[in-house]
Amino acid sequence: MTGTDFSEWLRGRSDEHLRALVAARPELVTPVPAHLDGLAARACSPSALGRALDRLDRFQLAVLETLALGDGPSSRPALLSMIVRAVPDPPGTSGTSGPSGASGASGAEDVAAALDAALDTLVTRGLVYGSPDALLPAPGVPAALEPPAALGPPAAEVFRHHPPERLDVLLHDIDPAYEGGGQADAGRPARERLTALLSDPATVARLLEEVSPQARAALDELVWGPPSGRLPSARREVDTATAQSPIEQLLARGLLGATGEETVALPREVALVLRGGRVHRDLSPGPPALDGPVRDQELADRTAAGQAFMFVRMVEELCELWSVDPPGVLRAGGLSVRDLRRTAQLLDLPEWAAGLVAEVALAAGLIAAGEGEWLPTGGYDGWRIKATEDRWAVLAAAWAAMDRAPGLIGERDDRDRPLNALHPDLRRSGAAQTRARTLSVLEAAPPGLAPTPESVLARLTWEQPRRRSALRDPLVRFALREAEHIGVTGLGVPAAHGRSAARGDGRAADLLAPLLPQAVDHVLLQADLTAVAPGPLTTDLGRRLALTADVESKGGATVYRFSEQSVRRALDAGHSAGDLLAMLERHSATPVPQPLAYLVTDVARRHGRIRVGVASSYVRCDDPALLDEVLADKRAHLLRLRRLAPTVLASKTSRAALVDSLRAMGYAPVAESLEGDVVVARADARRTEGPPAARVSANPGPNPDAAAAAVRAMRAGDAAHRSRRRPAETPEGQVPRSPSTATISALEEAIRQGSRVWIGYTDSQGHATSRILEPARMEGGYLTAYDETRATVHRFVLSRITGVAGYDAERSQTPGERAAGVD
């Protein structure tokens, strides 16, 4: 059968089947083909077939390979008999029970059911076509599968470059009855006869009896692949009389063929005979089972919830730290190793975990590069006011969809350059898909099972055997480690909210909420200038306390320490001593200790007595004696201060440097603006504009409406492609003409019904033409429609449409068109 047969088969499929094809292979309608012949050609192109084959699991691929190796159409029973031979007996059954035994019958039934499901998938995706009694691979599939089932090239290909004389010698050694004649017709008859002999099991068995056990062992190494080898020391042109080594014995009998100066290959026909009629070995109709330790599911859920809570807090803490002291952006992009190490120390995390926090924050749109620094975005302010479970859902979705590989941070690229966090080179095209496939495997794990990385890799290899690459295994291991740190899994077990995040059903936040620790709105103030948080603090209290005190230790309870610098930081942010003491009294389970109250009051009393402005900068103070003290201080010599007035000093030092220097000398200045107002140093004042967070649809294919529209367009284009008939409602030689209101109404009705119309249209030169259209939409004075007369989608100016008439489509219909209701 040919490509034309495949096109006719597609044409006979119903619209429902075509929609299923488009949904399974969305690349076939990007853009929409003009007709079904174009769809068939695109479906059989090497690139489209490669994508479709990459989506097949191991069993589906084996079924397609078995079908492609046939000489012609195969029936389902014949295909089943070939597949059953490749499936090993179930564990615990004897190899002699066979299909006739009870267990063998059960296994055969399972294989038959799996075969039916695989054939249904292959037919739906347009990789197999025909009737159940005459199934064929789609055109181009055998070439796309080459080499199938780890088989070598056919004998005709292996011996293609052998001279006729050499073929005569081979044939005479294999079949003594051969009388020569290879020279005729450039050796073609000899090659055909050689292929026939090597395909005969009796001939191959006889040849194997003639070789040594070592030669047979060498052949066994090639039977199940790889089918070729490199043997530089073997002679190529030998016969049975002069062959000495095991390889030479095989070459002399055609059981191996020389394909190059130093390479040999096992002919496909010989391999199939040696495989005993089986195409595959140890074929499983189902995926391998996941294995690993079994743990309490409830404990795993709580552990994962704790990890999720901590991850949200780490992202928030990173954004707060970078609001005040943002790290720089490297010239080539990314975060320097020093800044990553410093961030990891501040977050009390390993460097790989700190890199993951930064990468997820970037993917979620919470941080971005701005003005040469990594800063929080405006989106962070909206994110931080959400509930913890909602914030985690945003982070988990961003992690699952991002095309970056945080696990590669610290590795080196192919130019031996380090890969930095947040660097553009961390993008990997297969990262998001590998992560999604890993999450789908975790989502399918039984409750309480912590799948081992090896079993997850084995499952992924079975599900998509053609997509295995050198980077896939590391990406899978990275995904498993990151899932544990983010809180998708706990103790290696997929949590309930993690399974929901993997499915993308929008219920992850609801499932996580009851498992999160309850936030507390109070602390325990102590006389040693510390505050103990007995649990996770509310977002508002946590930010206020982080501004007023420094974290001293973390654990079951977080300890904060108040100091002169931390209190001054809160005063710089615009709070007064009264505000700070009122906040502490409101959120403390104990009275405010006297030492803490004295500390706040004393720092506030001295805070702001000295004002610093721009001269380059100036110092202003209402107390001249205090300025005398500053001028007399030897440490002020480098500031190059000079007195402008009894209460004003000027300096060539910048305002920020002057403030820092005076504070280092023990004073408590504040910065003021040109208007004389105190400059409030807000921790959340520095923000940058970042790109919107990436969003990846759970279903990358076209939506049902788009698929249906694509099928309608292809049907309409196919009708015009096959039969160009002039509409009959308008006299010959005239174009349709109708009032503008009737024209608009007719077009709107055609859009609603998905029907075709015949229009009159005046082109830019004023010439009247007629078009057969399938209208899609009207907007902004334009009609967008599929133009059947030109087989393309086009925009028409509504004011140039002279009229609309019905389209007479009386013609012969295919079964698929009748089923679809095409006129």
Side-chain angles (χ1 to χ4, degrees), residues 372-625:
E373 295 176 323
W374 289 106
L375 290 166
T377 65
Y380 165 67
D381 297 313
W383 174 82
R384 73 181 181 186
I385 63 175
K386 295 181 179 179
T388 302
E389 59 271 19
D390 294 324
R391 288 190 285 169
W392 181 84
V394 171
L395 297 178
W399 168 72
M402 68 181 185
D403 61 349
R404 302 174 62 81
L408 294 176
I409 295 174
E411 302 290 336
R412 307 192 78 84
D413 61 10
D414 52 1
R415 297 183 181 179
D416 199 35
R417 296 176 303 183
L419 292 171
N420 296 86
L422 306 180
H423 196 280
D425 287 349
L426 286 181
R427 288 191 177 92
R428 294 295 182 273
S429 58
Q433 187 175 45
T434 300
R435 195 177 296 115
R437 297 299 305 175
T438 303
L439 290 177
S440 69
V441 171
L442 293 178
E443 195 271 331
L449 179 68
T452 62
E454 291 73 21
S455 66
V456 173
L457 287 169
R459 174 69 70 89
L460 290 174
T461 299
W462 187 91
E463 289 183 349
Q464 292 182 333
R466 284 173 55 96
R467 284 191 171 171
R468 187 167 187 176
S469 63
L471 187 59
R472 195 200 63 174
D473 289 4
L475 288 178
V476 171
R477 295 183 185 275
F478 293 154
L480 294 174
R481 181 178 68 174
E482 294 163 7
E484 184 75 15
H485 190 75
I486 288 174
V488 173
T489 62
L491 303 175
V493 179
H497 57 273
R499 295 175 187 270
S500 176
R503 292 191 298 267
D505 57 12
R507 298 178 56 245
D510 295 335
L511 294 172
L512 176 62
L515 302 173
L516 291 174
Q518 293 296 321
V520 297
D521 62 351
H522 65 276
V523 295
L524 304 176
L525 296 177
Q526 302 185 106
D528 62 349
L529 299 181
T530 60
V532 178
L537 299 177
T538 61
T539 300
D540 181 64
L541 178 58
R543 296 187 70 248
R544 288 175 179 270
L545 202 58
L547 182 64
T548 312
D550 298 313
V551 176
E552 188 170 80
S553 65
K554 297 180 180 179
T558 304
V559 178
Y560 295 85
R561 177 164 294 279
F562 296 92
S563 64
E564 183 176 341
Q565 290 77 16
S566 67
V567 173
R568 184 187 298 128
R569 185 171 63 230
L571 295 174
D572 286 343
H575 300 285
S576 66
D579 294 337
L580 296 181
L581 292 175
M583 183 270 293
L584 294 174
E585 290 175 357
R586 187 167 58 252
H587 294 289
S588 175
T590 58
V592 177
Q594 191 177 54
L596 178 58
Y598 281 171
L599 174 66
V600 173
T601 303
D602 182 62
V603 173
R605 179 181 57 81
R606 294 183 292 113
H607 186 265
R609 291 181 63 191
I610 295 179
R611 303 293 182 93
V612 176
V614 177
S616 294
S617 59
Y618 65 85
V619 179
R620 181 172 66 84
C621 181
D622 295 335
D623 185 358

Side-chain angles (χ1 to χ4, degrees), residues 19-30 697 699-708 710:
R19 286 194 295 270
L21 171 64
V22 168
R25 300 174 64 181
E27 64 275 2
L28 298 184
V29 290
T30 310
S697 172
N699 179 17
N703 59 53
D705 292 338

Side-chain angles (χ1 to χ4, degrees), residues 323-379:
S323 292
V324 179
D325 187 13
V329 180
L330 294 175
R331 183 169 55 182
L335 185 70
S336 70
V337 175
R338 181 182 60 185
D339 286 330
L340 176 62
R341 186 177 297 117
R342 173 173 163 271
T343 301
Q345 292 174 349
L346 292 174
L347 298 179
D348 194 19
L349 291 174
E351 287 187 24
W352 72 265
L356 174 64
V357 170
E359 288 287 343
V360 174
L362 176 66
L366 306 182
I367 61 172
E371 299 180 358
E373 295 176 323
W374 289 106
L375 290 166
T377 65

Side-chain angles (χ1 to χ4, degrees), residues 1-16:
M1 302 181 84
T2 64
T4 303
D5 300 320
F6 182 69
S7 297
E8 291 300 324
W9 177 80
L10 272 183
R11 191 169 284 116
R13 303 280 282 174
S14 68
D15 281 4
E16 181 181 359

Side-chain angles (χ1 to χ4, degrees), residues 698-722:
N699 179 17
N703 59 53
D705 292 338
V711 171
R712 287 200 308 270
M714 287 187 292
R715 288 285 192 197
D718 196 58
H721 177 66
R722 296 176 62 231

Side-chain angles (χ1 to χ4, degrees), residues 294-316:
V294 178
R295 299 188 170 95
D296 180 66
Q297 182 65 52
E298 185 177 351
L299 175 61
D301 289 346
R302 293 198 303 270
T303 303
Q307 288 292 105
F309 179 84
M310 289 304 301
F311 189 77
V312 171
R313 284 300 173 95
M314 289 299 100
V315 172
E316 182 179 6

